[in-house]
Amino acid sequence: MTADAPQLWAEHQVATLAQGARDWTVPLYGSLAWSQLPPNDPRRYAAVIEAAEQWRRQVAEEERLDQLADDDPAAWYAEVTAGANDEARRLAGRLARMRTLAELNAARTHRPPHRLRATPDWPPVSIPGKPGRYLYPTPCAMAA
């Protein structure tokens, strides 16, 4: 018996049950939709077969990983962490471009206010918070 024989048998059984059906959507075994099907509906049996096949695959995968952990712990670790490693590689570039906490804190520190200066040949500068007051260029700034 080959490794795919149970899968082939399950697929054949579901295909046999589906023969002649107009609407063949198999609800998930144990779901509300499954429980609302008539007791003799072939989709109920198909759902049971599909659930059993999924369980068989799950148990086989767990046994394979357990055997791998016993035989080669490094290979087991590499396999079970592969998804996390892929995600970390995907995020690494984005994280490298983000500013650090120290950089964010430095950007938040208050800098001394800019000292206003009037420039020659430009109009006077309005002084913020003091309506009607302006800065004019000083005579020594005009000489420069």
Side-chain angles (χ1 to χ4, degrees):
M1 192 179 229
T2 64
D4 291 332
Q7 178 183 350
L8 293 172
W9 179 86
E11 289 173 0
H12 173 72
Q13 294 301 315
V14 171
T16 301
L17 289 168
Q19 285 179 351
R22 284 180 289 166
D23 174 30
W24 189 255
T25 53
V26 178
L28 189 62
Y29 171 70
S31 67
L32 179 62
W34 179 84
S35 64
Q36 291 174 343
L37 291 172
N40 60 350
D41 192 314
R43 292 175 294 174
R44 285 189 130 209
Y45 301 113
V48 171
I49 292 169
E50 288 178 357
E53 178 59 17
Q54 289 173 358
W55 178 254
R56 183 192 66 81
R57 287 184 201 162
Q58 175 69 28
V59 169
E61 179 63 10
E62 288 175 6
E63 288 174 354
R64 185 189 71 78
L65 287 174
D66 288 345
Q67 187 63 47
L68 183 62
D70 291 341
D71 295 344
D72 189 355
W76 171 84
Y77 184 80
E79 186 169 333
V80 297
T81 60
N85 289 338
D86 292 342
E87 186 67 14
R89 277 189 286 282
R90 189 183 71 74
L91 290 174
R94 184 171 153 231
L95 290 173
R97 290 187 299 274
M98 292 176 72
R99 294 195 291 180
T100 65
L101 181 60
E103 291 169 332
L104 291 171
N105 287 338
R108 279 191 213 110
T109 59
H110 296 287
R111 296 183 183 108
H114 177 73
R115 185 171 187 100
L116 291 176
R117 279 180 242 159
T119 305
D121 300 328
W122 282 83
V125 177
S126 172
I127 300 174
K130 297 183 179 178
R133 304 231 10 230
Y134 296 92
L135 288 177
Y136 294 93
T138 59
C140 51
M142 290 179 163

